Amino acid sequence: FPEEAYASMRDDESRTPLYARAIAARLGEAPRGTLSVLDIGTGPHAVLALLAAEAGARKVYAVEVNSDAAARARAAVRAAGWAEVVEVIEGFSTEVTLPEKVDLVVSEIVGSVASEEGLYATAADAHARHVLRPTSADSWIPHTVETWSAPLPCTCMLRVRVRVRTCISAWADGNALVM
């Protein structure tokens, strides 16, 4: 991602405070310093990892596949004073091995379409290998994602629909139609 995209996610006043409240609420359910967290796709600012550390996580494993972003995340963690709590691990979460299973997974690997950034495979792997209580909604932030769509008219789509109908009609009539 370009720096502008990372900064935009970090500074998003409609998203980041919601993550902060959700993380603080979840970690606040247990005594401070007792729960562990996995941040998948931490990015160069380690935003969610730092929010978890500030909210009282005992340990945060911040996984980032991009080596430049991982190096910058390590620097951000050190600058924030959380190097004893947040460990940045370079690699795909599906390929790393954590020293323990975690209580909570936080991530923002949802693109414009819920599965765009490999969310399904990543979550399935974390479910199988990284989470203490994988079937509990309390183990995931976010715990559900949805993609909404709405049809809209487009003349180019109307042309495609006509061609498809023509092709289907020709096939149904037993005529070969090559487009």
Side-chain angles (χ1 to χ4, degrees), residues 83-175:
E84 296 299 316
V85 174
V86 179
E87 178 182 345
V88 178
I89 301 170
E90 189 175 326
F92 285 104
S93 66
T94 56
E95 297 174 358
V96 302
T97 301
L98 300 179
E100 64 179 313
K101 289 194 173 194
V102 299
D103 300 288
L104 175 64
V105 175
V106 297
S107 65
E108 205 293 313
I109 57 168
V110 180
S112 299
V113 174
S115 61
E116 182 179 354
E117 295 183 30
L119 176 64
Y120 181 79
T122 301
D125 177 73
H127 187 279
R129 298 187 317 118
H130 297 310
V131 186
L132 280 170
R133 297 178 327 148
T135 59
S136 172
D138 288 347
S139 296
W140 305 88
I141 296 176
H143 62 79
T144 53
V145 295
E146 295 179 331
T147 298
W148 288 58
S149 64
L152 60 110
C154 173
T155 56
C156 63
M157 291 306 294
L158 293 174
R159 283 192 297 259
V160 169
R161 190 176 314 134
V162 169
R163 290 184 82 182
V164 169
R165 283 190 184 141
T166 303
C167 182
I168 292 170
S169 296
W171 175 78
D173 294 338
N175 301 317

Side-chain angles (χ1 to χ4, degrees), residues 24-97:
R26 173 60 182 101
L27 294 179
E29 294 172 359
R32 189 170 181 81
T34 59
L35 299 181
S36 57
V37 177
L38 168 59
D39 175 8
I40 299 176
T42 200
H45 304 293
V47 174
L48 302 182
L50 290 172
L51 289 172
E54 292 165 4
R58 172 182 51 78
K59 186 68 177 180
V60 180
Y61 302 100
V63 178
E64 175 57 49
V65 69
N66 179 287
S67 59
D68 179 57
R72 292 176 56 204
R74 284 185 195 93
V77 167
R78 279 192 305 276
W82 290 105
E84 296 299 316
V85 174
V86 179
E87 178 182 345
V88 178
I89 301 170
E90 189 175 326
F92 285 104
S93 66
T94 56
E95 297 174 358
V96 302
T97 301

